[in-house]
């Protein structure tokens, strides 16, 4: 008697449903998956065609690619999976109804779920834990005096986070040598806690001779990497290692409208491989729109010719979506911004801005400056990526170089004490 070869049937994969709801039967799968205890007590088990089976006793089996292939006749026919994974041969109609991706229950197969497990709750678990512990973000500002570094930071975080608000007297003179001042603040928004550390570099670029004035800054960055490395190699490590590594460096470019200074190029060239550098044009309201566009193009060209890499780097794009988003940011670099912590009345609304004789420059108006784009990019879309690039790229580069050089992990001198405040 000749066999009649039925057409190959490939049912659609079953989508697991959360209990107590169970998916409705479909023509390709008349027996929807049932969770444990689903249905009424004493209900009959589904027929063999709805049960994933494994033929033989090794690995994960798939349905035959040709429906006219037969399983050896010396095996018995069974309706359930045995404890050792061996299953008797099934009729062709049963084998043809099996999804090709189905594997044996309890095995590391393709992962077709027969019911709701709860894997999707891991995101909520991570969110709850992060909200309890909070996180750290360390930002450094570099640029010569008078470019509005402190004002811009206060505008970014809508708090008094600049170094002047943490205990410096108004009549105290800003140091004229490159120093490192780190001030920490605890900020909470929507139940999320963040320890924000602002690292200021007063005196940078203010001397007549600015040779190697970036060395104290590079030394501070490496000291934070060394502290983290020492905590990692300890036999008894802390449950949570304090993270003082600089995640982002905002470099303020003077709005000359002509070109970059040699100091700007040298600083970014020396430190671009140690920290995420984001170049910004300060006090952009001192230029017209045409002057601003020309200056931005000239700065981008000079950075490219000087071999300066700034964040986000092209080689760190993980997929096409990241590349598309980051390309838009790279095309806008350097961002031309205006900072202000004063409010003015404009068209019946209170806005942050700088008042001039001919009107008010609105800080958050994208037609006036690119501050809103900087805030969204720095805080709302790339803050976590800045931390990951710091840990996975810059810190790992320092760690590999340090351990390969292996002169022993010598203790590092304590850096400047960090002042803390609560907001």
């Amino acid at each position: 008697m000749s066999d009649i070869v039925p057409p190959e049937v490939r049912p659609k994969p079953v989508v697991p449903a959360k209990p107590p709801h169970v998916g409705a039967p479909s023509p390709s799968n008349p027996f929807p998956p049932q969770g444990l205890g689903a249905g009424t007590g004493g209900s009959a088990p589904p027929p063999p065609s709805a049960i994933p089976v494994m033929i033989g006793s090794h690995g994960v089996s798939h349905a035959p690619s040709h429906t006219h292939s037969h399983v050896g006749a010396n095996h018995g026919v069974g309706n359930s999976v045995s404890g050792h994974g061996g299953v008797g041969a099934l009729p062709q109609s049963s084998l043809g109804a099996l999804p090709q991706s189905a594997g044996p229950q309890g095995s590391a197969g393709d992962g077709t779920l027969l019911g709701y497990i709860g894997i999707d709750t891991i995101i909520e678990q991570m969110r709850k834990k992060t909200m309890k512990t909070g996180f750290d973000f360390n930002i450094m500002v570099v640029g010569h005096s008078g470019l509005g570094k402190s004002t811009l930071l206060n505008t970014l975080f809508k708090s008094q986070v600049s170094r002047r608000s943490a205990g410096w007297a108004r009549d105290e003179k800003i140091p004229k040598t490159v120093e490192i001042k780190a001030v920490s603040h605890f900020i909470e928004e929507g139940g999320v806690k963040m320890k924000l550390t602002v690292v200021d570099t007063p005196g940078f670029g203010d001397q007549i001779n600015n040779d190697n004035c970036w060395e104290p800054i590079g030394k501070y960055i490496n000291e934070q990497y060394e502290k983290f490395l020492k905590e990692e190699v300890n036999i008894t490590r802390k449950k949570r290692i304090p993270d003082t590594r600089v995640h982002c460096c905002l470099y303020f470019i003077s709005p000359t409208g002509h070109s970059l200074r040699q100091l700007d190029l040298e600083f970014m060239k020396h430190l671009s491989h140690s920290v995420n550098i984001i170049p910004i044009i300060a006090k952009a309201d001192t230029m017209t729109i045409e002057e601003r566009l020309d200056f931005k193009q000239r700065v981008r060209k000079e950075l490219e010719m000087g071999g300066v890499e700034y964040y986000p780097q092209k080689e760190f794009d993980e997929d096409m979506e990241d590349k598309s988003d980051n390309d838009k940011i790279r095309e806008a670099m350097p961002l031309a911004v205006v900072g202000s912590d004063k409010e003015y009345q404009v068209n019946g609304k209170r806005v942050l801005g700088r008042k001039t004789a001919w009107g008010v420059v609105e800080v958050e108006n994208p037609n006036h400056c690119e501050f809103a784009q900087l805030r969204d990019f720095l805080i709302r879309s790339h803050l976590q990526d800045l931390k990951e690039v710091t840990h996975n790229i810059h810190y790992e580069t320092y760690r590999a170089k340090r351990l390969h050089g292996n002169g022993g992990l010598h203790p590092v001198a304590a850096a400047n004490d960090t002042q803390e405040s609560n907001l």
Side-chain angles (χ1 to χ4, degrees), residues 283-296:
K283 294 188 174 181
D285 56 328
T286 60
M287 297 184 290
T288 65
I289 296 178
E290 293 78 11
E291 291 172 344
R292 183 194 307 172
L293 292 175
D294 291 342
F295 187 47
K296 290 178 64 169

Side-chain angles (χ1 to χ4, degrees), residues 386-404:
L386 284 164
K387 292 165 64 71
E388 290 177 358
V389 171
T390 299
H391 180 78
N392 298 328
I393 306 298
H394 299 306
Y395 169 68
E396 285 298 324
T397 301
Y398 175 86
R399 178 179 175 275
K401 182 179 179 181
R402 182 73 171 85
L403 295 181
H404 278 305

Side-chain angles (χ1 to χ4, degrees), residues 28 60 63 70 74 117 122 129 149 151 179 195 208 211 221 239 241 326-327 350 361 411 414 423:
S28 60
V60 180
H70 295 281
N74 58 339
I117 296 178
I122 186 65
K129 191 168 185 180
K149 301 186 294 295
T151 303
E179 298 180 2
K195 180 182 179 182
I208 297 177
D211 291 344
I221 293 173
K239 183 178 180 181
I241 300 177
N326 291 339
D327 281 344
R350 302 289 294 179
V361 179
L423 295 181

Side-chain angles (χ1 to χ4, degrees), residues 141 146-165 198 200 250 252 280 282-283 337-342 352-354 363 371 374:
V141 290
L147 290 180
K149 301 186 294 295
S150 301
T151 303
L152 182 67
L153 284 179
N154 292 341
T155 312
L156 267 175
F157 296 99
K158 295 188 177 180
S159 305
Q160 294 294 320
V161 298
S162 68
R163 60 189 177 89
R164 296 194 180 199
S165 63
V198 178
D200 200 358
L250 293 180
F252 286 68
I280 59 177
K283 294 188 174 181
V337 299
V338 176
S340 175
D341 51 7
K342 294 182 180 180
L352 291 172
R354 287 166 56 88
V363 170
F371 170 82
L374 173 66

Side-chain angles (χ1 to χ4, degrees), residues 8-16 26-33 47-55 60-65 67 90-105 107 109-114:
E8 184 176 355
V9 179
R10 294 186 180 181
K12 296 181 180 179
V14 179
V15 179
S26 62
S28 60
N29 187 10
F31 299 97
S49 60
I51 302 179
V53 298
M54 177 175 66
I55 300 174
V60 180
S61 63
H62 298 275
S65 58
T67 57
L90 295 178
Q92 280 186 338
S93 60
S94 299
L95 291 177
L98 281 174
Q100 290 190 348
S101 61
Q105 291 180 344
S107 66
D110 189 8
T112 301
L113 302 181
L114 301 180

Side-chain angles (χ1 to χ4, degrees), residues 49-238:
S49 60
I51 302 179
V53 298
M54 177 175 66
I55 300 174
S57 58
H58 300 284
V60 180
S61 63
H62 298 275
S65 58
H66 302 285
T67 57
H68 62 271
S69 300
H70 295 281
V71 183
N74 58 339
H75 293 282
V77 178
N79 292 335
S80 62
V81 180
S82 64
H84 298 286
V87 178
L90 295 178
Q92 280 186 338
S93 60
S94 299
L95 291 177
L98 281 174
Q100 290 190 348
S101 61
Q105 291 180 344
S107 66
D110 189 8
T112 301
L113 302 181
L114 301 180
Y116 177 71
I117 296 178
I119 300 175
D120 56 354
T121 62
I122 186 65
I123 304 299
E124 180 64 18
Q125 297 174 37
M126 295 171 63
R127 188 189 71 85
K128 288 182 178 179
K129 191 168 185 180
T130 303
M131 290 185 67
K132 289 181 181 179
T133 59
F135 61 96
D136 304 315
F137 186 64
N138 308 317
I139 183 171
M140 173 182 280
V141 290
V142 181
H144 65 77
S145 302
L147 290 180
K149 301 186 294 295
S150 301
T151 303
L152 182 67
L153 284 179
N154 292 341
T155 312
L156 267 175
F157 296 99
K158 295 188 177 180
S159 305
Q160 294 294 320
V161 298
S162 68
R163 60 189 177 89
R164 296 194 180 199
S165 63
W168 279 271
R170 285 185 173 270
D171 56 349
E172 184 177 356
K173 294 183 179 180
I174 297 177
K176 293 302 179 182
T177 58
V178 180
E179 298 180 2
I180 308 295
K181 298 288 186 179
V183 184
S184 290
H185 304 268
F186 292 92
I187 302 177
E188 184 173 352
E189 182 182 43
V192 179
K193 302 174 183 177
M194 181 178 75
K195 180 182 179 182
L196 173 68
T197 300
V198 178
V199 184
D200 200 358
T201 56
F204 174 82
D206 293 336
Q207 306 300 313
I208 297 177
N209 183 5
N210 291 307
D211 291 344
N212 302 325
C213 65
W214 57 80
E215 289 184 350
I217 300 174
K219 180 181 177 183
Y220 175 86
I221 293 173
N222 288 333
E223 282 179 353
Q224 310 317 307
Y225 291 149
E226 184 74 14
K227 284 183 180 180
F228 199 88
L229 177 60
K230 285 186 62 181
E231 291 290 345
E232 277 195 335
V233 299
N234 281 342
I235 297 176
T236 304
R237 296 194 295 184
K238 297 178 181 178

